[in-house]
Amino acid sequence: VRAGFEDAKGNLMGAIERAVIGKTGKEVTAVFANAPGPLELLPSASYPRGWLRVQTSEYRQVMALPIASDEPLKTYRSEMQLHKTLGTTRPAAPVAVGDPLYDIYAREPDAWWRLLNPEWVNPANKKYEGYNPYGLATKRIAEAQSFHRNIQGLYHPTTYASYGADPYQKAFGAVTYRVNATGLKGFGDPLSWRLISEDGEGRIVVRAENRHTLQLRLEPPIDAGDQTVPSDASASRVRGTVVFRQSGYEHQNSYNNDKVLASLLYSLVKIANTAPWWKS
């Protein structure tokens, strides 16, 4: 979202989509933040944690969100209960709790890792009575995440599916930013860095604890998939009667692929054969 859509690299349909939906984060955010459909494509709480990462220039990982541990949330809830019952000091809210909505999507505007740039959400400067556009966008994200929780693990008992798991069709199983520093001594925790600027094409400038500026750059995707959906982190988790793991196509053009069409025809026939009237 923040870096826009990748160059289509000779794919005409991809080039058209990129021109319509947005080449940069500024263009994409204006559409994405105001439409429930795209927001439902964001990783949910059931997605493997730690998918937003920071690595040093020497490829050492120094941050991963949502955090893997549930302990900060458990501790906060325990201390909050003591605050309510015994009047102890109100605990400070944890920095991260292991949920993408809290850890990433709904962060304060100056958190460099937040999903949406508030300045890009409402380019027309439309007035909303009693609301601000950024608040409305985060509310839509929360609703999309709630939708995912409600359908988590729900599959029809007769489910047939296919997905791309092609190592040559890279997808973002994780979003990794590389910082221009070999180590973080003196720079502090990446979660303490404050945003200075971003260019909408994957480059972010932050101010570290020691007041020095650092640059982060979005790394290209490295996970097998179909250029859109990563196979291991997402598509392969579908539970079905039969699931076809395939290669040789990108997401948008999947139904132009013979293997996809063959698996679709097979699935339709198998599902049709479960109809009781068919056997009578």
Side-chain angles (χ1 to χ4, degrees), residues 43-57:
S44 67
S46 62
Y47 198 86
R49 296 185 188 183
W51 54 264
L52 178 60
R53 304 168 182 173
V54 172
Q55 294 181 349
T56 67
S57 58

Side-chain angles (χ1 to χ4, degrees), residues 116-132:
L116 303 175
N117 185 325
E119 297 177 0
W120 300 345
V121 170
N122 184 28
N125 291 318
K126 182 178 178 180
K127 303 301 180 183
Y128 292 88
E129 190 67 32
Y131 294 94
N132 69 77

Side-chain angles (χ1 to χ4, degrees), residues 132-143:
N132 69 77
Y134 185 69
L136 287 173
T138 55
K139 181 175 180 290
R140 293 188 191 100
I141 296 173
E143 291 170 348

Side-chain angles (χ1 to χ4, degrees), residues 157-179:
T158 306
T159 294
Y160 289 76
S162 65
Y163 67 90
D166 193 330
Y168 297 102
Q169 305 285 350
K170 304 294 188 184
F172 283 101
V175 177
T176 301
Y177 283 93
R178 179 149 293 120
V179 63

